[in-house]
Amino acid sequence: MGKSTNSTHGQTPSEGIREVKTVRCPPGPPGGHLTYRHILEPTAAKQKEARTASHRAAVNDLRRHGLAVDGGRTRGGEETRLLTKDGLAAAAIDLDREMEEMGGMPKSAGCSGASHPMTVNETVIALIRPKPNMDKVVREPAEAVAAARAAVDAPDGIGTLASYATEVALPVKGTWRNPAIGSARADVGLTAPEAGVPLLFIEVDNCTEEAVLIARKFDKYARFFQRQEKDTDGIEKPLWRTRWSAPASDEYERVHPPVLLVFHQVGRRSARNQMARVADLTRHHWQGRWHPEGGYHSYDRCIPIVVTTLEELREHGPAGPAFWRFGRDHRQPLLDAIGNGRRDAYLARRHQAARQGQRRRAEREAAQREARRPVCKDCGQKFTDNRWEAIGCTRDWRKRPSHPHLCENCQDRAVAAEQQAEADERERQEQERLRQEAEEQAAAQKAGGWLSRFRT
């Protein structure tokens, strides 16, 4: 399984080639050719040949270097290429991934027509919806520019090639590198937190497997999600959280990562019937519990399962109403389908009500505090917060203000007045002392005069 090289609208051919394990040039909307000049060709066959020329050349370069081999032909007669072990190793280095994240060469891809790997490729292309580089079509005919502009103006896809990994092992026992028998293996793992998708597993079916077999895969998913292991911080948590980042569980709800199931109407089974049958068989995995107070379903320990068809995904992209989540009665864009809008709205209302209640409590407490605020006995002004704190109770009475009943300004004036009064009193006392000394001196002199008269 892997990605098609014919999806690299805004990348060089080699950038698209490095990550593939099965390579072909699928039919579909134009975009692989960077200039969009292929739309000027008269027939669909010639348009395809022009659109895929650079990619086929890049694949041939890989084959000459021993990084790819012929993989036979699809049932439609189209050639396929497979990355060798060396090719996968080179891609792992370029993508900064571990080898176990690269998967392996699809088994019997050439004999089987590579139908399943090709559907995986096209699913990834339809999710990415790569954009052409408008700088490449500046001098092209108006028709090419218009086609490129239409692709640019279309709704964005999710992630880039580096956001996707194929054949992702989900060990119920064993290790990531050596999962035990009975472990799940996702066709695709998508990590694009910048697009609102922290982690999404994707399963692809060409309407060839029985619904019972598809449902059993979700039993393996459930076992994997329930596996606990200690992380580097010594805290036990779900094993998948030790490898992928995801938002923390909110309000004690531990929802497992969502799984997208994409049906491609190739086999004899009806895609619609398959969806209904799988939904019924996996009900115990995805069915939520109604929360009457909040008006939403709680999916604690449930697996959100979303389904679509490759045709609808190609037409609408991830931003269109192409996805049905089991348990709901309408189709939604992917982000809405894997989310829980009613619960989010309920929590938003609760948080808003909590904020409003907190604000009202703060206002009530502020009013009560304001009513207790002291008033200056002199000027009648209310104390400032600093002044109120300064006159508060303290164990060190020496640090208490001298006039706790006055504001700071009135205290300063009172202190100044007291100091002036003390100075005046000291001056009066000094004058009184001098007066008394003068009187005593005068009395002494007068007494001395009388004594001298008696002597004579």
Side-chain angles (χ1 to χ4, degrees):
M1 293 177 286
K3 303 176 180 65
S4 168
T5 60
N6 197 35
S7 63
T8 54
H9 296 267
Q11 303 170 340
T12 63
S14 60
E15 287 176 331
I17 286 292
R18 290 185 189 122
E19 206 177 353
V20 301
K21 303 185 189 81
T22 305
V23 181
R24 79 178 182 99
C25 303
H33 195 276
L34 297 179
T35 64
Y36 270 64
R37 190 182 296 170
H38 59 277
I39 69 168
L40 304 177
E41 298 294 338
T43 65
K46 290 186 177 181
Q47 287 182 6
K48 175 183 175 182
E49 182 178 358
R51 186 178 69 247
T52 60
S54 59
H55 302 90
R56 286 184 281 109
V59 173
N60 289 333
D61 288 342
L62 291 178
R63 184 174 56 179
R64 282 192 291 270
H65 288 85
L67 302 179
V69 295
D70 292 339
R73 292 180 177 271
T74 66
R75 292 186 177 90
E78 297 169 333
E79 295 181 355
T80 63
R81 299 288 188 272
L82 309 177
L83 286 184
T84 64
K85 183 177 180 180
D86 291 339
L88 288 172
I93 294 174
D94 190 65
L95 295 171
D96 192 24
R97 290 181 178 174
E98 299 295 332
M99 272 300 296
E100 59 265 23
E101 298 182 34
M102 297 303 298
M105 185 182 296
K107 297 179 180 179
S108 304
C111 299
S112 65
S115 59
H116 185 268
M118 293 305 97
T119 303
V120 173
N121 289 352
E122 295 179 17
T123 297
V124 173
I125 295 170
L127 285 169
I128 295 176
R129 297 177 75 86
K131 305 291 187 181
N133 186 345
M134 292 303 296
D135 293 337
K136 302 289 185 179
V137 298
V138 172
R139 295 180 178 83
E140 298 302 326
E143 295 89 339
V145 175
R149 173 54 60 186
V152 169
D153 294 339
D156 292 336
I158 293 179
T160 64
L161 284 176
S163 305
Y164 295 79
T166 57
E167 299 178 5
V168 181
L170 309 177
V172 297
K173 289 186 177 181
T175 64
W176 295 106
R177 189 183 295 272
N178 296 307
I181 296 175
S183 299
R185 186 174 290 273
D187 289 336
V188 182
L190 166 60
T191 53
E194 72 285 352
V197 185
L199 179 60
L200 173 68
F201 295 114
I202 303 172
E203 292 290 338
V204 173
D205 181 66
N206 283 327
C207 297
T208 56
E209 282 190 340
E210 295 183 6
V212 174
L213 298 179
I214 298 175
R216 287 178 183 172
K217 293 182 180 179
F218 291 96
D219 295 336
K220 297 179 180 179
Y221 270 98
R223 292 181 61 197
F224 167 71
F225 291 146
Q226 292 167 5
R227 181 177 176 182
Q228 301 280 319
E229 186 141 327
K230 285 188 178 180
D231 204 350
T232 53
D233 55 6
I235 300 176
E236 192 174 69
K237 60 185 65 174
L239 177 63
W240 66 269
R241 284 187 177 271
T242 66
R243 179 172 180 178
W244 293 286
S245 298
S249 300
D250 187 20
E251 297 288 331
Y252 306 103
E253 185 170 81
R254 298 166 294 276
V255 180
H256 298 315
V259 180
L260 171 62
L261 183 55
V262 180
F263 288 99
H264 185 29
Q265 193 63 65
V266 175
R268 58 184 177 82
R269 292 180 172 83
S270 167
R272 303 296 176 185
N273 292 340
Q274 288 285 84
M275 291 181 186
R277 182 63 175 152
V278 172
D280 185 57
L281 293 172
T282 59
R283 183 178 300 274
H284 58 290
H285 289 310
W286 57 259
Q287 189 169 43
R289 179 178 56 85
W290 179 248
H291 193 289
E293 178 185 353
Y296 68 90
H297 280 91
S298 173
Y299 297 103
D300 186 40
R301 301 182 186 276
C302 294
I303 305 176
I305 303 177
V306 181
V307 295
T308 187
T309 64
L310 182 57
E311 291 73 17
E312 289 177 317
L313 181 57
R314 284 171 173 167
E315 179 181 358
H316 299 288
F323 304 88
W324 172 44
R325 176 164 172 172
F326 289 167
R328 298 179 183 175
D329 58 1
H330 59 287
R331 295 182 177 271
Q332 301 172 284
L334 180 59
L335 295 184
D336 293 337
I338 64 177
N340 192 347
R342 290 181 178 177
R343 182 173 183 273
D344 293 342
Y346 167 73
L347 292 179
R349 292 193 302 269
R350 264 187 45 174
H351 294 161
Q352 178 67 16
R355 288 193 295 270
Q356 292 176 351
Q358 185 178 4
R359 185 178 67 252
R360 287 193 294 268
R361 286 193 299 273
E363 292 173 352
R364 183 169 59 252
E365 292 172 359
Q368 294 172 352
R369 184 173 185 273
E370 194 66 23
R372 298 193 306 269
R373 186 182 295 272
V375 177
C376 179
K377 301 300 183 180
D378 191 357
C379 67
Q381 293 292 330
K382 291 185 176 182
F383 282 15
T384 63
D385 290 341
N386 292 337
R387 179 60 177 172
W388 193 0
E389 181 180 355
I391 67 171
C393 295
T394 177
R395 294 181 180 180
D396 191 352
W397 290 91
R398 293 172 299 179
K399 295 182 179 180
R400 296 198 66 180
S402 59
H403 299 75
H405 60 287
L406 299 179
C407 66
E408 292 179 346
N409 293 334
C410 291
Q411 176 178 264
D412 292 343
R413 288 194 295 269
V415 170
E418 290 175 354
Q419 291 175 348
Q420 183 64 41
E422 291 176 357
D424 294 343
E425 178 64 20
R426 286 194 298 271
E427 179 65 22
R428 187 191 65 77
Q429 292 176 358
E430 180 65 19
Q431 293 296 329
E432 180 66 20
R433 185 184 64 78
L434 293 175
R435 184 184 64 78
Q436 290 179 357
E437 289 180 354
E439 290 178 352
E440 291 175 357
Q441 186 177 6
Q445 290 177 354
K446 185 177 181 180
W450 284 101
L451 289 174
S452 62
R453 290 180 182 179
F454 287 124
R455 290 181 185 144
T456 59

